[in-house]
Amino acid sequence: MDHRGPEFGRLGGEILEGLREVFKTSGPVIIYPASGTGAWEAALVNTLSPGSKVLMFETGHFATLWRSMAGELGLQVDCVATDWRRGADPAIVEAKLREDSGHEIQAIAVVHNETSTGVASRIGEIRRAIDNAGHPALLLVDTISSLASIDYRHDEWGVDVTVAGSQKGLMLPPGLSFNAVSEKAIAASKSAQLRKSYWAWEPMLNANRNGFFPYTPGTNLLYGLREALLMLREEGLENVFARHARLGEAARRAVRTWGLEILCANPAEYSNSLTAVRVPDGYNADELRKVILENFNMSLGNGLGRLQGKVFRIGHLGDFNELMLAGTLCGVEMGLSLYGVPFSKGGVAAALEHLEQTATAQSAVTQGVA
Ligand SMILES: Cc1ncc(COP(=O)(O)O)c(C=O)c1O
């Protein structure tokens, strides 16, 4: 397809409009033919200048990578350490911003759902903390593993740049990433001095007005994105969130019944996209994953960074339903037995009981099995 032709313009226009619903924004959403890391860089280079101060939280592996990128780009990062078992603390945000009476902090950058830990930070509360401190810093949020899976509200939460990717809640292959941008972020981009070319918002926003892009877009992925947006609209975003919450709760019930520990230490921050599970000391999560892969051809997420060998991750996001979760949990339960981890059987049964008790005909219809 000619990506400068009228048919493409219609596709582009439809997608750029439809994406707003998913981010819950009335502003523009920029699409890059890049993985999520590209959209991280775009968020920083379009809004900030060399030496700008940024407040970040080391909530896990991905937050650590984003922090490193900010350092490499020449930003001055104040990074609050955590034990990788909880999210960014709104009380610390407020305290740090109150201390900064000269308003030197230009931005707060938070990973909404830490894919490495299964912890979801409370973005609405972080917004309130910023407002309580009366601080003008921009709020940048990574929703790569939460968009279209966990409740997220770009406009209502006053987020300035939302970073997202195609390969999780949007149910697509990797290769597209996004910046939803507020008016305040666009205003900041007019004076931001970090160097940029490929990631620059302005040529994107100009070309997007007619449904086009300043360089070759990921055309095939955009066809998929149109379909993904239709699927999300058909199911209804709130139903999508409820489905993820229900599957997440069933997974957590299985883990508790096995007598294993959920990595996330704060139930208010449980992720509905994935559950990271600690293996008991003396056991290696990667050995367990290998047993499950070799016997049941199922690949679980590994422990990343400092969690390597200590946790495995059960993904339950995107195009996912009860029976897929049931199969996943069966593979884990059999793998725990085969590998010889001390645990109690019955996790699968506990998950199934929850799914059965909370079943609605609506959930079957929206998942296309009715
Ligand atoms: C929360 C989060 N942020 C950033 C990234 C990096 O995105 P990508 O690997 O698409 O560049 C990932 C990847 O999984 C992620 O889960």
Side-chain angles (χ1 to χ4, degrees), residues 34-35 44 46 49 71 80 91 117 121 123 139 144 146 151 154 157 189 223 239 254 256 261 266 289 301 306 336:
S35 83
L44 299 175
N46 279 287
S49 299
V80 179
T117 63
S121 285
I123 304 300
L139 177 58
I144 285 175
S146 58
D151 186 18
H154 176 93
W157 293 343
S189 75
Y223 272 110
N239 293 330
R256 285 193 208 100
E261 199 177 0
N266 179 2
R289 290 175 52 250
R306 70 158 88 144
L336 290 167

Side-chain angles (χ1 to χ4, degrees), residues 230-355:
L230 289 172
M231 286 167 69
L232 291 169
R233 190 179 292 164
E234 188 182 13
E235 184 173 352
L237 260 191
E238 304 313 311
N239 293 330
V240 171
F241 300 149
R243 171 166 56 83
H244 283 79
R246 184 163 161 258
L247 297 176
E249 177 57 24
R252 293 188 290 270
R253 285 180 187 218
V255 176
R256 285 193 208 100
T257 307
W258 289 327
L260 299 179
E261 199 177 0
I262 296 169
L263 181 66
C264 178
N266 179 2
E269 296 175 327
Y270 281 148
S271 164
N272 289 328
S273 313
L274 77 137
T275 301
V277 184
R278 281 157 66 102
V279 292
D281 288 343
Y283 294 86
N284 186 320
D286 289 337
E287 293 293 319
L288 169 68
R289 290 175 52 250
K290 187 162 176 262
V291 167
I292 294 172
L293 179 63
E294 288 178 354
N295 286 278
F296 308 117
N297 194 24
M298 180 174 77
S299 183
L300 291 166
N302 63 333
L304 292 165
R306 70 158 88 144
L307 294 171
Q308 194 188 351
K310 296 186 166 55
V311 304
F312 62 90
R313 292 174 297 140
I314 302 172
H316 34 76
L317 86 164
D319 182 19
F320 204 71
N321 65 26
E322 291 92 339
L323 299 187
M324 291 152 105
L325 179 69
T328 307
L329 297 175
C330 286
V332 175
E333 191 160 318
M334 290 189 287
L336 290 167
S337 264
L338 282 178
Y339 176 52
V341 175
F343 81 108
S344 308
K345 289 205 175 202
V348 170
L352 296 187
E353 194 182 333
H354 179 69
L355 294 175

Side-chain angles (χ1 to χ4, degrees), residues 35-38 40 62 111 113-115 142 144-145 167-168:
S35 83
T37 303
W40 264 350
F62 291 104
V111 174
N113 186 70
E114 236 315 334
T115 322
D142 168 344
I144 285 175
S145 58
Q167 71 268 33
K168 296 203 168 62

